[in-house]
Amino acid sequence: MELESLYDLLQLPKGVEPPAEEMLSQGGKKRYLPPTSRKDPKFEELQKVLMEWMNTTLLPEHIVVRSLEEDMFDGLILHHLFQRLAALKLEAEDIALTAASQKHKLAVVLEAVNRSLQLEERQAKWSVETIFNKDLLSTLHLLVALAKRFQPNLSLPTNVQVEVITIESTKSGLKSEKLVEQLTEYSTDKDQPPKDVFDELFKLAPEKVNAVKEFADGVILLLLIGQLEGFFLHLKEFYLTPNSPAEMLHNVTLALELLKDEGLLSCPVSPEDIVNKDAKSTLRVLYGLFCKHTQRAHRDSMPRGAPN
């Protein structure tokens, strides 16, 4: 294949070299996600939902995932995630510093994951090599499978598919092929979940949701939780007047931990989104508190039966 056609096929910007034949061994293959695929809204939404789910799950361990490509390859976060989801202890070293030890750790974790998912290695859409080489599609397939197994009520976007370019080194040179990768299952309109009430709120009254941004530093949120849930929060446990994003993140993370312990987080929420004044994430948190205490108030107001 000519150099110019490779540039066109992969949609590479100027200055970025396309793969050379010597970069792939004979018969070797490599997958590429062109920019149009990476910027697909449903593809981006899938990554966001999975990252929020992981960060909520790993909140008690103060682990934050910021990139599925850069944070998952060495098996460390996957190790902690799987242990929490499966409620078991894996016999794998906690910290692996060399590439060889990281690969070994990843192999141990993936073997346990495949066993839990009742998959043989050849059936899995991921491998030690692809995950270690930061193959985003393999990582997404793995996380989608884990979510479906351990949190089937997680609302993943349906029918997520992206166009992938496969480059193969053959005797006659580089051979390219366009394929469509299916990441989540297709669903008809009949199977679609009801519309998100928060999306409807944003459409109908966007000017009324700005007030929730006052919760960004976590102070009001912590005081509200303490008042409603009967918690006594010592001032040493949080920053009453946070002066940095790190202190705000500490407050919000503590608030989400308290809510999770009380079973008030109905869906994954990232503390970074609250700090960054994401109104929808903040509304979800407040709605969980509202529902619980509205129901409690309703029960308290119900007429009591006659005493025996």
Side-chain angles (χ1 to χ4, degrees):
M1 177 174 289
E2 294 180 358
L3 193 65
E4 185 178 353
S5 59
L6 264 180
Y7 268 110
D8 294 337
L9 183 65
L10 299 178
Q11 302 172 34
L12 294 170
K14 290 182 179 180
V16 177
E17 290 294 326
E21 290 185 41
E22 58 268 20
M23 292 176 64
L24 290 174
S25 58
Q26 185 71 41
K29 287 185 179 181
K30 190 169 179 62
R31 295 191 298 184
Y32 292 88
L33 272 173
T36 50
S37 294
R38 287 184 176 273
K39 293 177 182 178
D40 180 90
K42 294 189 74 172
F43 185 64
E44 291 181 332
E45 177 66 15
L46 175 62
Q47 294 177 73
K48 182 180 178 182
V49 171
L50 289 171
M51 286 180 66
E52 289 179 350
W53 167 62
M54 293 170 65
N55 284 328
T56 301
T57 304
L58 295 170
L59 198 61
E61 300 188 38
H62 304 287
I63 295 175
V64 178
V65 180
R66 292 186 170 86
S67 168
L68 295 181
E69 286 177 284
E70 298 299 327
D71 294 349
M72 302 297 296
F73 80 98
D74 61 359
L76 176 62
I77 290 177
L78 185 60
H79 182 192
H80 285 270
L81 177 67
F82 181 68
Q83 285 191 147
R84 293 196 69 83
L85 292 174
L88 53 79
K89 178 73 174 176
L90 290 183
E91 295 299 325
E93 56 185 321
D94 198 37
I95 303 295
L97 299 178
T98 66
S101 60
Q102 289 171 347
K103 222 170 186 180
H104 174 73
K105 177 186 179 71
L106 181 61
V108 171
V109 177
L110 287 182
E111 183 181 358
V113 168
N114 291 347
R115 190 163 54 245
S116 176
L117 297 174
Q118 299 181 342
L119 287 175
E120 295 183 14
E121 189 175 348
R122 57 183 175 82
Q123 296 175 303
K125 296 179 180 179
W126 55 84
S127 67
V128 174
E129 289 298 324
T130 56
I131 300 293
F132 190 75
N133 289 328
K134 304 179 183 180
D135 184 293
L136 180 57
L137 293 175
S138 295
T139 303
L140 287 171
H141 277 303
L142 172 60
L143 293 175
V144 167
L146 285 172
K148 289 171 64 178
R149 166 70 175 82
F150 292 103
Q151 193 162 351
N153 62 336
L154 183 64
S155 182
L156 295 174
T158 59
N159 195 30
V160 179
Q161 51 181 261
V162 290
E163 190 175 75
V164 185
I165 310 298
T166 301
I167 306 295
E168 181 180 5
S169 177
T170 66
K171 292 181 179 179
S172 56
L174 292 178
K175 176 185 175 183
S176 67
E177 185 179 14
K178 282 187 178 182
L179 300 170
V180 174
E181 189 95 7
Q182 190 80 28
L183 290 162
T184 61
E185 296 172 354
Y186 176 78
S187 178
T188 61
D189 290 337
K190 188 182 294 185
D191 298 326
Q192 291 288 340
K195 290 183 178 179
D196 191 325
V197 293
F198 295 105
D199 286 333
E200 296 302 304
L201 175 62
F202 273 67
K203 291 176 185 176
L204 296 174
E207 74 285 352
K208 295 183 179 180
V209 300
N210 287 328
V212 301
K213 295 179 180 180
E214 296 178 8
F215 293 83
D217 62 6
V219 176
I220 297 178
L221 185 57
L222 281 170
L223 296 175
L224 179 63
I225 294 170
Q227 181 70 23
L228 293 175
E229 297 296 316
F231 292 142
F232 173 74
L233 291 173
H234 198 284
L235 291 178
K236 291 183 179 179
E237 295 183 26
F238 68 102
Y239 298 95
L240 188 58
T241 55
N243 295 314
S244 68
E247 292 180 355
M248 295 167 65
L249 187 61
H250 169 88
N251 286 353
V252 174
T253 300
L254 174 60
L256 293 181
E257 286 178 353
L258 294 174
L259 290 172
K260 187 176 181 182
D261 290 343
E262 293 299 305
L264 295 176
L265 276 183
S266 58
C267 60
V269 176
S270 167
E272 284 85 357
D273 285 344
I274 305 290
V275 173
N276 291 329
K277 300 183 179 182
D278 182 86
K280 191 185 296 186
S281 296
T282 309
L283 278 171
R284 292 187 191 281
V285 171
L286 296 175
Y287 186 67
L289 276 168
F290 170 78
C291 286
K292 176 181 177 180
H293 291 280
T294 300
Q295 291 169 1
R296 179 184 293 173
H298 177 69
R299 288 196 304 268
D300 292 344
S301 65
M302 290 286 286
R304 299 286 191 269
N308 292 330

